[in-house]
Amino acid sequence: MSQHEGLPVSGYRPQSDIAVSTVNGSKMLEERVLRFLDELKADPAIDQRWLSIGRTAIEQGFMAVNRAVFQPKRIDLPPDPDPRQIFEAGYSKGVFHDDAFEYGPQVEAAFRDSQRGDGQ
């Protein structure tokens, strides 16, 4: 059985012929169902709100099935900084106003400065 190279996306692994065939079959079935829903959308007698809800649920269902087959994994990232350190770094730099917590470039810069210990 041959292996197909994983998607060039973090977390995706190489896939077997069976897995690729299964997901391709799922995608074909999904397209047929979506075309049927497209026909219903053209009918003014159909409740478009419920049709939209149903379409979203169907799309999510097919996506879940495909993920069940391909089984993408979580990726490794460096640890997140402690939110208290971010707040303290921003507060000491005067980034926060009126007790509002705003996480943005200024806070990130203040946090980096506090980690370097340059005291600016």
Side-chain angles (χ1 to χ4, degrees), residues 1-118:
M1 176 186 318
S2 68
Q3 289 279 352
H4 295 268
E5 201 170 310
L7 293 175
V9 175
S10 296
Y12 282 84
R13 58 187 174 80
Q15 300 295 328
S16 69
D17 289 339
I18 293 171
V20 170
S21 178
T22 299
V23 170
N24 282 338
S26 172
K27 296 297 289 179
M28 288 174 27
L29 183 57
E30 177 185 16
E31 181 58 29
R32 299 245 182 255
V33 172
L34 294 177
R35 288 178 185 188
F36 168 69
L37 297 180
D38 290 342
E39 291 175 17
L40 291 179
K41 187 171 180 147
D43 184 346
I46 299 293
D47 184 324
Q48 297 299 310
R49 178 176 172 270
W50 278 109
L51 181 62
S52 178
I53 291 169
R55 181 186 187 102
T56 299
I58 288 168
E59 290 170 339
Q60 288 175 333
F62 275 102
M63 185 171 27
V65 168
N66 295 338
R67 286 183 63 92
V69 175
F70 278 167
Q71 300 176 30
K73 304 295 182 202
R74 293 181 67 171
I75 62 171
D76 290 327
L77 293 176
D80 291 335
D82 183 336
R84 292 172 297 199
Q85 289 177 318
I86 294 171
F87 180 79
E88 290 167 3
Y91 188 77
S92 69
K93 295 287 186 174
V95 174
F96 303 108
H97 307 285
D98 301 325
D99 295 325
F101 182 82
E102 181 179 323
Y103 183 77
Q106 292 175 313
V107 176
E108 291 175 15
F111 177 72
R112 280 193 306 274
D113 291 347
S114 73
Q115 294 299 305
R116 281 198 315 254
D118 61 9

